[in-house]
Amino acid sequence: MFLLVLPPAPAVPLSAARARLLQMLSARFLMEGRFDQAAQVGVEAIAAARSVGELEAEFRAHNILAPSLVHIGRVDEGLATFETARGLAGDVPRRLVGYHINASDALHLLGRYAEAAQIAREGLDRAREIGLARSLGAMVAGNTAEPL
């Protein structure tokens, strides 16, 4: 198995664009199953986002870091990071749906089926409220059915 080790990111001024870019890179690593790298870059993304007040990127980075930590066996940290993500989501419906998707999936993977289904149901309700039942809602619907 080939493992790519990333060099440290070059020292460049922190900016909202850099925070968003790091967050997107972390998400890419998560989707590719490169959980260690997703976590590493996610921590960088959070720090960058906080330093420039980029709340959206900070939320997204936490919402990516959390499942990455769960996947690498740092379950308690991952669940705590989900709570931070939930707090950062505030009352923004689209963020909340994203939180519900990732949190329910992680709980399902941990065998916490009742909790996973409940979190997913809440996300499905939110997706319906904001008119996204056929897009993001479809993901949450799958996350609702799977643990059942």
Side-chain angles (χ1 to χ4, degrees):
M1 182 169 141
F2 177 73
L3 177 63
L4 174 67
V5 177
L6 295 175
V12 296
L14 294 176
S15 66
R18 179 174 170 77
R20 288 189 300 271
L21 185 63
L22 287 168
Q23 171 263 305
M24 287 186 278
L25 179 60
S26 179
R28 178 66 181 211
F29 286 146
L30 174 66
M31 297 305 289
E32 292 177 356
R34 297 161 64 179
F35 306 118
D36 286 320
Q37 291 165 308
Q40 176 187 350
V41 175
V43 169
E44 281 186 70
I46 290 166
R50 279 186 184 155
S51 73
V52 297
E54 178 57 48
L55 184 60
E56 180 72 23
E58 185 179 354
F59 159 74
R60 289 179 181 272
H62 275 93
N63 205 40
I64 294 160
L65 176 59
S68 300
L69 291 170
V70 169
H71 276 283
I72 61 175
R74 294 166 55 185
V75 174
D76 291 338
E77 286 178 77
L79 295 178
T81 302
F82 271 123
E83 290 309 308
T84 302
R86 172 63 184 93
L88 289 168
D91 291 328
V92 180
R94 196 172 192 87
R95 287 184 195 156
L96 287 169
V97 174
Y99 156 79
H100 287 288
I101 289 169
N102 287 5
S104 62
D105 185 56
L107 289 167
H108 176 254
L109 291 173
L110 292 171
R112 295 168 64 169
Y113 303 121
E115 289 174 87
Q118 180 59 40
I119 294 283
R121 275 190 211 103
E122 292 168 11
L124 185 54
D125 290 342
R126 295 248 184 221
R128 285 182 182 134
E129 288 171 12
I130 60 173
L132 296 176
R134 291 181 178 231
S135 56
L136 289 177
M139 293 175 70
V140 185
N143 285 11
T144 302
E146 196 171 13
L148 296 175

